[in-house]
Amino acid sequence: MAALHTNSSNLFVSIAAMLAFIWFVLGFLQANGLANTRTISTTNTCARTKLTATSSHQGGSLPSLPNIKAAVIVPGFLTGKDEFLPLAKSLTSKGIPTVVVPMPNWHWLPCLGGRSMRPMLERIDFTVRHLTAVAGNLSDFDKATLDSLDENKFTQKDGLIVPKEDAIIQTDNPQLLIPDYDYNIFDLYQDFRNNPGGVLKVGGSVHVEDYPLWDPKGTFMKAPEPMGKVALIGHSAGGWICRAYLSQRSYGGKAYCGNELVHSLITLGSPHGNAPGPAFKGVEWVNRERLDDVRVLGVGGTGYKGDSSGTLTKNSYSFCCPNGSDGSTYDGDGVTPIQSALAIKEYSPNADTLMLDDVAHFCWSDVFGGETVAPELAEWHRQGRPWYGDEEVIEKWASWL
């Protein structure tokens, strides 16, 4: 629900028209045999997941791995890597090497309308596996493969992978260790057309258990074997999606079993409470399972009243409310009411919770479109009211790791 970054303003340039154009053009190409579809066979268990060679995701029960002080940030709905790189940089400077799931905003398009989050889960799995493979060690580049780094910046010397002499390298930037993956407009079209669930009941149902077997598109580089477990930090919708990643149950045809690679989860302003509507069917699904083998911290902000913080806030609170309220009586971070952000305690009793006074959901004034989407919230942020990713607030929740 956060606004979009300057480099991703395409989301504000008629999403509907763009999708209509993609649908028409790629439908024509596919009808003429120019757009191909790849398939993946899946199963419901962690130990027996089978994938084609074009995918990086491995299944199988892993041996116990050591906990590594490193983290992966999962952006919230309609946000991408660029918006969260400053947060990753801040955490890295505090001794927690941190990367962001490498995705632009438009990768969310197939998930619009409350549809399956399989496309996001694939990206989370890809990022977690590559970070665990290098154990988040920023200085020891020999633990990464040359193929997983930019060949224009790195070379092999005396058996080690080192920066080239003429390359400008930020050795304190672990994002360099996460390779790119291939996802194009043809893949987007296929995902947008076939991703199940949502208000249109694509595939026949809004319920996760009834999703037809289907696999998102994209070609992801296989990661080396994991060397340790890392933490997940999910912002907004990214928080409950992380819970689906940690589950050992099949979500739309695949069990990701992220609990084998993750030791801790922090959610920032994430909706964890059940609410009506197709968009919350995924939340209901994760709420049927306790998280007992992963440490959990649910963080929520207050100070933004539903009756006095603008239209976005009031509507967002109403959207998250279980009883059909108009949202005016709730308090929260401007997008997620505090009751929903801390509701993870109801479904995972061992979870810790943290309520932060006068903390907003997002850095509205720093991103393109923020003043349009949330004018009141953007103005307050410009005046100095903090969000979860500001330095003075990071100190309050990051110390939990």
Side-chain angles (χ1 to χ4, degrees):
M1 294 183 183
L4 306 182
H5 190 271
T6 303
N7 294 333
S8 303
S9 60
N10 56 313
L11 284 182
F12 282 97
V13 185
S14 182
I15 290 177
M18 181 184 71
L19 292 175
F21 175 76
I22 293 171
W23 193 289
F24 172 78
V25 173
L26 294 182
F28 172 81
L29 292 175
Q30 186 180 45
N32 287 273
L34 299 177
N36 296 321
T37 302
R38 71 179 175 89
T39 59
I40 304 176
S41 62
T42 59
T43 185
N44 293 345
T45 62
C46 302
R48 297 180 59 194
T49 301
K50 296 181 180 179
L51 303 166
T52 64
T54 58
S55 172
S56 70
H57 309 304
Q58 309 98 296
S61 181
L62 295 172
S64 180
L65 297 171
N67 293 344
I68 303 298
K69 197 171 186 179
V72 172
I73 296 175
V74 180
F77 187 57
L78 291 183
T79 60
K81 179 186 75 173
D82 290 346
E83 289 90 333
F84 289 88
L85 285 176
L87 174 55
K89 183 177 180 180
S90 178
L91 289 169
T92 298
S93 70
K94 299 177 188 303
I96 307 172
T98 303
V99 302
V100 186
V101 174
M103 53 174 283
N105 313 67
W106 58 271
H107 282 200
W108 283 98
L109 293 177
C111 302
L112 291 175
R115 296 163 75 179
S116 169
M117 291 299 166
R118 278 289 306 278
M120 297 302 107
L121 292 169
E122 291 293 301
R123 287 153 177 77
I124 296 171
D125 190 45
F126 169 80
T127 310
V128 167
R129 288 186 179 278
H130 278 278
L131 185 60
T132 59
V134 295
N137 192 328
L138 300 182
S139 61
D140 198 359
F141 281 103
D142 65 308
K143 291 183 179 178
T145 65
L146 184 59
D147 289 340
S148 69
L149 299 173
D150 187 341
E151 293 184 4
N152 294 320
K153 295 181 179 180
F154 293 87
T155 187
Q156 190 164 0
K157 182 178 180 181
D158 298 328
L160 301 178
I161 293 173
V162 297
K164 290 184 176 179
E165 293 181 1
D166 58 348
I168 300 176
I169 299 295
Q170 291 179 279
T171 56
D172 61 346
N173 182 7
Q175 196 74 38
L176 293 170
L177 300 175
I178 308 301
D180 292 326
Y181 52 87
D182 181 30
Y183 187 78
N184 55 46
I185 195 171
F186 294 89
D187 296 326
L188 172 64
Y189 166 70
Q190 292 290 337
D191 282 351
F192 184 76
R193 187 182 71 170
N194 297 313
N195 194 25
V199 294
L200 298 179
K201 297 183 179 180
V202 179
S205 179
V206 299
H207 300 284
V208 175
E209 296 85 351
D210 298 329
Y211 286 166
L213 294 180
W214 167 84
D215 294 280
K217 302 304 173 185
T219 303
F220 300 83
M221 181 185 298
K222 183 177 180 179
E225 289 299 312
M227 299 172 61
K229 294 183 178 182
V230 298
L232 279 178
I233 301 171
H235 176 257
S236 196
W240 76 258
I241 297 170
C242 284
R243 293 172 63 194
Y245 175 67
L246 297 174
S247 176
Q248 296 200 15
R249 294 177 296 154
S250 172
Y251 182 99
K254 182 173 179 179
Y256 288 87
C257 303
N259 64 315
E260 296 181 349
L261 298 171
V262 173
H263 60 72
S264 303
L265 168 66
I266 294 178
T267 66
L268 305 174
S270 299
H272 293 298
N274 292 338
F280 277 84
K281 294 304 179 184
V283 177
E284 292 179 8
W285 186 86
V286 297
N287 281 343
R288 298 190 190 111
E289 181 177 3
R290 289 171 51 125
L291 286 177
D292 290 328
D293 49 357
V294 174
R295 297 174 65 237
V296 179
L297 174 65
V299 182
T302 64
Y304 294 83
K305 305 290 186 179
D307 60 358
S308 58
S309 301
T311 301
L312 175 71
T313 295
K314 184 177 179 181
N315 290 342
S316 295
Y317 289 176
S318 177
F319 184 66
C320 296
C321 291
N323 56 7
S325 165
D326 66 359
S328 61
T329 62
Y330 286 81
D331 190 8
D333 62 13
V335 171
T336 304
I338 188 64
Q339 294 94 327
S340 187
L342 304 186
I344 191 170
K345 185 74 172 180
E346 299 176 20
Y347 307 102
S348 293
N350 294 330
D352 295 318
T353 57
L354 176 64
M355 184 171 66
L356 301 173
D357 295 332
D358 196 33
V359 171
H361 191 79
F362 195 58
C363 50
W364 299 101
S365 66
D366 292 344
V367 296
F368 178 86
E371 294 184 1
T372 301
V373 174
E376 295 85 358
L377 301 179
E379 178 59 27
W380 287 328
H381 183 259
R382 184 182 299 105
Q383 293 174 3
R385 295 181 70 177
W387 78 291
Y388 298 111
D390 283 334
E391 286 294 335
E392 65 270 29
V393 181
I394 295 173
E395 295 285 354
K396 297 178 180 179
W397 56 263
S399 58
W400 179 87
L401 283 175

